[in-house]
Amino acid sequence: MAAFPFTVPLLAIIGVTAGVQVGPIHLIQNRTYIAYELESSPQLSVIQCPYTLQDDETVDFISWALWSGEDAVGTYVWSPVELGKSNGSLSGVVNENREDGDLELIELRYDLGGYYSCSVTTTTGEVVDSEKWEVLIIDTTSGELIMIFQDTFEIPCTFNTSANLYAVFPEPTAHAGLYSETSGGFYDEVTDSQWDKVLYENTSVAYSYRNVLFQFNEDTPYDVVFLFTYGVTKSDGSYIPLTEIVTDEIDWHFRGCPAMLNVTSQVEEYSLGRKTCRNEYIPREGVPQVNVTCVEGYHSETVVTPLVLFCDSETFHWVTEDGENMTDVDLQCLADE
């Protein structure tokens, strides 16, 4: 562990059931990260160490540590009498004149992001540490984000997308693709090999991709949207979103009567409707209809052919004029004797 001119008590008391309770530490206003700016402020760059005391206890001092692995590389100690004193990586970047024990960063650097812990010592000598907690300092080096969406008429039922994303420190996490809650999330997205990555000297990263096609077919969920998310992932796997874009085309959600299975020896002729990418029929000039007949040499034992069926806009089944559903058995064509 790194040595400093003064001793910082960092050993937790195990099994304490009474007395001081400390943590979990968090950012002011429960913010999820500190935004990298030329000038910090109490609204953006304060880490808080919540604690509770027994009635007969008072705080002697509060100490903070910034960790690199198992080593404390920076410390800050505050007391109600002497106020603050910082050292190591925190030297000169902490507001030492605060009247509370919060850690306020008055200057931001990339290396100040990391795991922090706090420790509360009472005048009775009781010492309790918080758990370490990761603080992210995120630098969105630009606000430029270009997304291009285009229906591709040359390739029916496809959606062409491109993206050019701004650089972020630390390296961001990007997802883009077809998303469906009923399917459990992304079911078709831009792959790792399709993302282009640019690493800058300050270790920020920008992502982009070009002309990735997404296909719509019979398997496309009805609640599909194109979702783009851009954010930063913490070491524990939790995700901090920075930007989210949802593209929702009306045509994607049209639902109609699915085309029949073209049973052997059966012919269907569709009219008054248009076919969607899901191979379903929806109105164009009126209620979609289908004429079902058997080819020459075949007949239906249960219905008269040609049979005219209509698309029920509520059940999305093909029904007779009287509203009766037709099953595959009803429509089966048998060879003439």
Side-chain angles (χ1 to χ4, degrees), residues 53-303:
L53 305 173
Q54 284 188 320
D55 293 338
D56 59 346
E57 291 180 311
T58 57
V59 172
D60 191 6
F61 55 87
I62 297 174
S63 58
W64 289 85
L66 168 61
W67 297 86
S68 176
E70 297 299 318
D71 296 328
V73 295
T75 61
Y76 170 66
V77 178
W78 175 89
S79 72
V81 177
E82 299 179 359
L83 298 182
K85 183 185 299 183
S86 58
N87 208 327
S89 294
L90 296 179
S91 179
V93 298
V94 177
N95 182 358
E96 299 181 351
N97 296 316
R98 289 185 68 95
E99 296 183 357
D100 55 29
D102 293 345
L103 177 64
E104 179 188 346
L105 300 175
I106 57 175
E107 179 183 327
L108 295 182
R109 301 191 310 260
Y110 288 171
D111 66 319
L112 295 179
Y115 280 91
Y116 286 78
S117 67
C118 66
S119 177
V120 175
T121 302
T122 68
T123 51
T124 62
E126 185 177 7
V127 182
V128 180
D129 290 350
S130 73
E131 296 288 339
K132 295 178 183 177
W133 187 66
E134 186 179 13
V135 175
L136 288 186
I137 296 178
I138 298 178
D139 184 5
T140 54
T141 54
S142 166
E144 181 182 6
L145 185 153
I146 300 174
M147 300 288 295
I148 300 175
F149 308 106
Q150 183 179 5
D151 291 321
T152 306
F153 299 105
E154 295 82 1
I155 309 176
C157 298
T158 59
F159 190 58
N160 187 359
T161 71
S162 300
N164 186 22
L165 313 178
Y166 54 84
V168 176
F169 172 89
E171 182 174 346
T173 300
H175 292 283
L178 300 183
Y179 181 93
S180 163
E181 288 190 7
T182 60
S183 299
F186 286 101
Y187 69 90
D188 186 12
E189 65 176 305
V190 179
T191 64
D192 291 342
S193 62
Q194 290 171 322
W195 284 105
D196 294 322
K197 173 180 173 180
V198 178
L199 177 64
Y200 294 93
E201 289 186 5
N202 63 358
T203 70
S204 63
V205 175
Y207 281 102
S208 64
Y209 70 86
R210 292 289 181 274
N211 297 322
V212 175
L213 299 179
F214 293 93
Q215 184 79 41
F216 297 87
N217 53 36
E218 290 91 338
D219 298 325
T220 301
Y222 289 103
D223 63 341
V224 64
V225 297
F226 183 87
L227 176 63
F228 162 77
T229 63
Y230 203 40
V232 175
T233 303
K234 299 181 75 170
S235 299
D236 62 2
S238 59
Y239 177 75
I240 297 177
L242 298 176
T243 302
E244 179 177 297
I245 296 175
V246 177
T247 299
D248 189 2
E249 296 287 344
I250 295 176
D251 284 352
W252 298 355
H253 303 285
F254 283 146
R255 185 170 183 179
C257 290
M260 296 183 182
L261 299 178
N262 292 312
V263 178
T264 302
S265 305
Q266 177 180 294
V267 177
E268 303 96 29
E269 295 180 356
Y270 297 91
S271 62
L272 299 181
R274 66 181 179 90
K275 191 164 65 172
T276 70
C277 294
R278 293 184 179 87
N279 201 27
E280 295 177 348
Y281 286 87
I282 59 176
R284 179 172 56 189
E285 298 175 354
V287 177
Q289 299 179 15
V290 58
N291 288 2
V292 183
T293 59
C294 295
V295 299
E296 184 177 355
Y298 286 78
H299 69 280
S300 172
E301 287 191 344
T302 57
V303 298

Side-chain angles (χ1 to χ4, degrees), residues 257-261 263 266 268 290-293 300-312 315-332:
C257 290
M260 296 183 182
L261 299 178
V263 178
Q266 177 180 294
E268 303 96 29
V290 58
N291 288 2
V292 183
T293 59
S300 172
E301 287 191 344
T302 57
V303 298
V304 177
T305 58
L307 174 67
V308 180
L309 299 177
F310 304 86
C311 179
D312 187 317
T315 65
F316 306 110
H317 292 151
W318 295 103
V319 298
T320 65
E321 189 174 11
D322 297 330
E324 180 182 359
N325 283 320
M326 292 287 103
T327 67
D328 292 340
V329 175
D330 294 329
L331 300 173
Q332 188 174 12

